Amino acid sequence: MTPVDSVSVTQAPFGILPDGQPVSVFTLTNRQGMQVKVLDFGAIISEIHVPDRDGSFADVVLGFDRIEPYLANGAFLGAVIGRYGNRIAEGRFSLDGKDYQLAVNNAPNHLHGGNQGFHQVMWQAEPFTRDDAVGVTFTRSSPHGEDGYPGKLDVTVVYELDNDNALSLRYHAVTDQATPINLTNHSYFNLAGQGTILGHEVTINADRYLPVDAGSIPTGELADVSGTPFDLRQSTIIGDSIALPHEQLRIGRGYDHNFVLNKQADHGLNLAATVRDPQSGRVMQVYTQEPGVQFYSGNFLDGSQPGKLCANSYRSALCLETQHFPDSPNQPHFPNTILRPGQVYQTETVYRFSAE
């Protein structure tokens, strides 16, 4: 790929769902030749092509080149996650004096919205182009009772690629009844485009993280990262830190923890994390308005669903899921995740790519 004269968005068939609905792939291209491919099924990011230090492009996210594997997307590759990203203990919470039971799809807990979730549904897609950016606006209405959640939730997710190789994800939602909400994207990144991420270097702007119990539910403690493998405030080779002896790394089989981000501003975008691949020179910076980021080092990828980038094997990619904290509906000292009628849920995350 080489720089192009103008931005563009194209639409093409990607497959057919079992109920006969056609799935489309939208290809976003900016003036630098960077491309992002997104599906209207699950609002999935299926490909991101970015250049290395020599200008050679590679696809840096896990995914599939046909629709069928996405129908059994147990790893949630590239999808929008909702209504609630991450885990809710035993799938239970109480809200305004009423108890709710959600699907237990990650025994004994509820994970990433349940058995259907936002990752297994069709979204309405509207592509757009401007001189400085190109993108797709995805919308859907989640009915009352979907996956056990109360209230009808109207959701908009905008993917926008600008000419500086930054991919913005903007989320917006309103409800007619109080409901938990914690939207995120579950893309898996490998900046080398091959191999594992153990040689990648990561920096996370967090003085504290959330230790978890044996079921990966936060204990409630906001623990200091100092002197632990979770001190990623300076650039750290993942393969070095993940091998250190620590009970939390044993529980997660590696990193699968939420970091409490240091905030430089009350409402603006803050630098949450930076990932570098020394081999290719590719760099990804993650900016967000969210209070936390889940760093997941691909510990449960097992190669059982080979993808278009690699075998989707153990630690072949990492996730940086910007979000509110896991199990917040059951932990009132965590930042609030309850959206009420008349309120607007609105948040933004940006993945900015470069090379050095």
Side-chain angles (χ1 to χ4, degrees):
M1 299 177 192
T2 57
V4 295
D5 293 334
S6 62
V7 299
S8 67
V9 54
T10 61
Q11 180 178 355
F14 192 77
I16 304 292
L17 297 180
D19 64 2
Q21 289 188 84
V23 177
S24 292
V25 56
F26 297 84
T27 301
L28 317 180
T29 305
N30 70 5
R31 291 183 183 271
Q32 305 302 320
M34 177 178 165
Q35 284 191 344
V36 177
K37 295 190 178 186
V38 296
L39 310 180
D40 52 8
F41 178 76
I44 287 168
I45 297 173
S46 62
E47 298 182 27
I48 298 179
H49 296 262
V50 293
D52 65 9
R53 63 168 64 93
D54 298 319
S56 297
F57 283 77
D59 184 3
V60 297
V61 292
L62 300 189
F64 305 107
D65 55 11
R66 55 195 180 91
I67 190 59
E68 287 77 12
Y70 283 119
L71 303 180
N73 190 7
F76 307 93
L77 300 187
V80 165
I81 302 300
R83 289 186 189 186
Y84 199 94
N86 221 307
R87 294 172 175 87
I88 295 177
E90 298 182 343
R92 299 174 184 171
F93 66 92
S94 296
L95 179 58
D96 296 338
K98 184 175 181 179
D99 296 333
Y100 292 90
Q101 178 65 61
L102 308 174
V104 174
N105 61 321
N106 184 241
N109 304 313
H110 175 83
L111 176 66
H112 291 335
N115 293 316
Q116 176 172 306
F118 288 4
H119 66 292
Q120 289 286 291
V121 296
M122 289 292 295
W123 293 69
Q124 296 295 317
E126 291 290 339
F128 63 87
T129 58
R130 303 195 307 267
D131 286 342
D132 61 341
V134 61
V136 179
T137 299
F138 291 107
T139 57
R140 77 174 299 261
S141 183
S142 173
H144 170 69
E146 183 174 57
D147 288 306
Y149 288 93
K152 180 173 76 76
L153 188 75
D154 294 320
V155 184
T156 300
V157 181
V158 179
Y159 292 159
E160 181 176 296
L161 174 64
D162 71 16
N163 290 320
D164 293 321
N165 288 358
L167 176 64
S168 170
L169 285 62
R170 299 193 295 273
Y171 306 87
H172 178 281
V174 294
T175 184
D176 65 358
Q177 186 176 332
T179 188
I181 183 172
N182 188 26
L183 304 182
T184 190
N185 178 271
H186 210 296
S187 288
Y188 288 73
F189 298 94
N190 181 319
L191 297 184
Q194 60 183 348
T196 76
I197 46 85
L198 296 180
H200 285 35
E201 299 173 4
V202 64
T203 307
I204 298 181
N205 181 24
D207 295 333
R208 296 173 295 169
Y209 80 103
L210 304 183
V212 296
D213 63 18
S216 294
I217 296 296
T219 63
E221 179 187 8
L222 278 62
D224 190 340
V225 300
S226 300
T228 77
F230 297 87
D231 190 349
L232 303 175
R233 292 172 291 186
Q234 302 296 322
S235 187
T236 303
I237 299 172
I238 294 173
D240 290 348
S241 61
I242 207 170
L244 295 173
H246 194 280
E247 177 64 10
Q248 285 295 309
L249 292 179
R250 186 195 65 78
I251 290 174
R253 293 174 54 181
Y255 291 105
D256 192 8
H257 295 78
N258 205 276
F259 286 74
V260 181
L261 295 173
N262 301 330
K263 307 288 281 188
Q264 290 79 43
D266 290 337
H267 301 292
L269 289 166
N270 293 280
L271 180 61
T274 302
V275 182
R276 290 181 169 85
D277 171 40
Q279 177 183 349
S280 66
R282 293 188 184 93
V283 178
M284 182 179 73
Q285 294 173 299
V286 183
Y287 296 83
T288 190
Q289 294 176 304
E290 289 297 289
V293 63
Q294 184 87 1
F295 174 32
Y296 172 53
S297 51
N299 314 313
F300 296 94
L301 295 172
D302 60 7
S304 60
Q305 283 190 304
K308 43 83 183 169
L309 179 61
C310 60
N312 296 351
S313 55
Y314 182 60
R315 293 180 178 166
S316 59
L318 61 86
C319 300
L320 290 165
E321 307 155 52
T322 56
Q323 58 188 240
H324 273 57
F325 302 162
D327 199 37
S328 290
N330 296 312
Q331 308 213 27
H333 62 291
F334 284 178
N336 176 57
T337 57
I338 303 302
L339 181 69
R340 297 183 178 276
Q343 298 177 335
V344 176
Y345 174 91
Q346 191 164 293
T347 186
E348 181 178 10
T349 291
V350 176
Y351 297 93
R352 183 178 300 277
F353 296 90
S354 60
E356 59 184 24

